[in-house]
Amino acid sequence: MLIASAVSFALQAPLQHATLHPSAPVLYIETPDVQRLLEAYHDAPLGQMLRDESVRAEWSKIASALDLKLDVQFDATLEALGMPPSADQHGVDALLARARTTRSLSLSIGIDERAPGELAAALKSRVDTYTELASLEDAIVAHARTREGRVPAALAELELAADVATDAWSRPYVYAPSDDGFGYTLQSLGSNGVEGGVGEAADISAAVTLEDWLASEMQRRFFVLVAVEFTSDQGAADAAAAIARIAPALDGAVIREVNMRGKPARAQPFHTEAPLSLDGWVLRSDALVVAGLGAVDCDAVAARASASTTSSDLISQLTTLDTHAGPASGVTVVRFSAQTARLNDIAKGVNAPGGAALLGLLGSLNGWSTVARMQLVGERFVTDGWTTHSGAAFWTDSIGAAPVSKEIVAFVPDDAAGVLVTQLAPAQLRDQLLSLMGGNSASLTEVETKHGFSLEKDLIGSLAGPAAVYVMPITGIGLPNVTLVLDLTDAVAFQRGVRGLVAVLSEQGQKVKESKYRDAPMWTLAMGEEAAALPFLSVSPTIFIIGKRALVTLTSLRAKKEVKRA
């Protein structure tokens, strides 16, 4: 029986995680090859360091000095999940041992909509109705002032325009004066025209603010979906049991069977109170476990998993990266999508005083659309990303404006543990900085004149575009060796700009030492006594110029090593 089951599962098409998830989640993360990812991290310098007993001992000393009982808390969490570490095993090792039983996994978080734009339409109707209710109440109060405080017997007495006397669903507002004639109730019965209801059908009155309704509606529509494919059926059974231990079953809930990928799967409902009060379910089929929380339907997930062909906005977004960055050249170990543009779209067209706070919140998300992938190419992780946004101008407009420079890539040390290479757009960077300064441009001009430099011309104007940030391998406790590199068009002008900034900092009481090392001009910022209290985290930020490149390091020692390397 077990052998037949394993063979049946193996003969199925490889699990495509994106097909399990709702079409348009706000956030999606997938690890299609957990084994390769863990193997790569196990062999990486960081992984080796974290397993080193001397390093663990140092971290324990730091945690003890700060009175942090991280190990105890972590072990207690694992105990609750049914993964208690043995006496000779660290909690992290126990977690890694369980992770190695995982083949692939995915997570999505989002806001449920019956159709694209449905929530935005519901929100607009609600904002419009709130706005009209406020106008009606003003008219009722004005009417009462002329009649010794008595409110109208009916709204018709106010002689309202037809479009004002009805709500967003073209139904009359429900108005009732009190028996004494001095009070009243006024409401809309929502989208269904029936008293009560939830979501867009909920009644609308001054008793519930737009912000309170939105908070309730977002919780009602919120969902989380997690799918984990294990290397064995037993791993899936253990995971389902762990969920059952930390999330109590719903009272009276019945475990039922659903068809998933052509086979029966057990679906068990549960409930959680933290961080939100939400119902959920866990579905297990052979070595696959899928858990949903909130507004995500178990039967819909099972149907998507069983469908022979599936298309969705999510799948289209993930394939977008191939168009912009080219097909993967290695083993893809992480795929990522973030679509805050969906939340931004909810606020489009809603332009009323009652929605001001809401618009401010959603507008701050700036309409992001980001897809990324992490590949294992040889012994290195390579991450490609593609980001757009539909909101106002943002600082990221000044990066990734063109293909990266091969010359700056060649400058990065071969043994760098992590690298970010991009192409700056100096003009956009200048515009963003000036926008952030707002009305302080006059003050900036005064400072520039006093110290003989121009932020725009000497500093930003001297940037050629190519830029890189890299971190060297971590070899012990302390801050990593991080270096920022900027290609320059005019090193002399950039040096003039740095000296001007140093003069400004000195006026504000900052101590900056200017020096030369092997003919490279160098400026080092002296940190205060607070930094000296933690020597393993001590920093001495340094900026220096080598030829037509400006570099910034966290320590002066690293700066000197970079000068020697160049």
Side-chain angles (χ1 to χ4, degrees), residues 207-251:
V208 180
T209 67
L210 176 64
E211 288 75 17
D212 288 341
W213 173 84
L214 180 67
S216 174
E217 183 67 354
M218 286 300 188
Q219 178 170 339
R220 188 178 76 88
R221 292 172 177 261
F222 176 77
F223 71 80
V224 178
L225 184 68
V226 180
V228 184
E229 182 187 19
F230 291 87
T231 56
S232 68
D233 292 5
Q234 185 58 50
D238 292 343
I243 294 174
R245 277 191 290 272
I246 61 176
L250 284 170
D251 292 338

Side-chain angles (χ1 to χ4, degrees), residues 132-485:
E132 286 190 356
L133 279 175
S135 298
L136 283 173
E137 292 189 333
D138 289 343
I140 292 170
V141 171
H143 180 280
R145 284 176 182 158
T146 64
R147 291 166 175 76
E148 299 180 344
R150 291 186 175 278
V151 300
L155 291 180
E157 292 183 23
L158 300 177
E159 298 181 355
L160 301 168
D163 59 336
V164 177
T166 57
D167 62 18
W169 299 275
S170 301
R171 298 189 186 94
Y173 288 100
V174 179
Y175 171 76
S178 61
D179 293 338
D180 61 9
F182 292 98
Y184 67 92
T185 60
L186 178 65
Q187 64 179 340
S188 161
L189 298 182
S191 63
N192 63 354
V194 179
E195 190 170 351
V198 296
E200 60 269 36
D203 299 343
I204 306 172
S205 71
V208 180
T209 67
L210 176 64
E211 288 75 17
D212 288 341
W213 173 84
L214 180 67
S216 174
E217 183 67 354
M218 286 300 188
Q219 178 170 339
R220 188 178 76 88
R221 292 172 177 261
F222 176 77
F223 71 80
V224 178
L225 184 68
V226 180
V228 184
E229 182 187 19
F230 291 87
T231 56
S232 68
D233 292 5
Q234 185 58 50
D238 292 343
I243 294 174
R245 277 191 290 272
I246 61 176
L250 284 170
D251 292 338
V254 177
I255 298 176
R256 62 191 182 92
E257 284 193 354
V258 299
N259 184 292
M260 188 167 183
R261 306 180 78 194
K263 302 183 68 175
R266 290 165 52 88
Q268 178 172 331
F270 65 85
H271 181 79
T272 179
E273 287 291 339
L276 296 174
S277 178
L278 294 170
D279 292 340
W281 47 265
V282 58
L283 181 66
R284 183 170 72 86
S285 174
D286 294 332
L288 176 64
V289 172
V290 184
L293 192 63
V296 58
D297 183 65
C298 174
D299 293 305
V301 172
R304 286 195 295 268
S306 303
S308 57
T309 59
T310 304
S311 62
S312 69
D313 290 347
L314 173 61
I315 295 173
S316 298
Q317 289 155 8
L318 293 172
T319 55
T320 296
L321 193 57
D322 290 343
T323 302
H324 297 289
S329 56
V331 178
T332 300
V333 291
V334 176
R335 297 203 294 172
F336 172 85
S337 169
Q339 305 297 324
T340 64
R342 286 199 61 230
L343 299 183
N344 191 266
D345 289 343
I346 291 172
K348 284 183 178 178
V350 181
N351 194 6
L358 168 65
L359 291 171
L361 170 64
L362 295 180
S364 65
L365 295 171
N366 221 46
W368 285 103
S369 176
T370 299
V371 288
R373 69 183 175 212
M374 178 190 290
Q375 305 173 68
L376 187 58
V377 181
E379 296 183 350
R380 280 192 176 275
F381 289 110
V382 176
T383 302
D384 302 307
W386 176 259
T387 298
T388 60
H389 70 86
S390 57
F394 201 63
W395 66 269
T396 51
D397 292 345
S398 60
I399 64 174
V404 298
S405 159
K406 294 181 179 180
E407 288 76 14
I408 202 166
V409 172
F411 182 82
V412 175
D414 292 337
D415 57 341
V419 183
L420 169 65
V421 182
T422 188
Q423 183 81 9
L424 298 177
Q428 283 82 352
L429 181 61
R430 176 201 60 211
D431 293 343
Q432 289 299 318
L433 288 174
L434 293 177
S435 175
L436 289 173
M437 294 183 65
N440 296 324
S441 56
S443 300
L444 173 62
T445 301
E446 183 180 339
V447 170
E448 290 175 329
T449 301
K450 179 179 179 180
H451 296 289
F453 79 104
S454 168
L455 177 66
E456 179 179 350
K457 295 179 180 179
D458 294 336
L459 290 172
I460 301 176
S462 294
L463 299 178
V469 179
Y470 53 86
V471 57
M472 302 305 293
I474 299 173
T475 56
I477 303 298
L479 292 173
N481 288 313
V482 180
T483 301
L484 166 67
V485 186

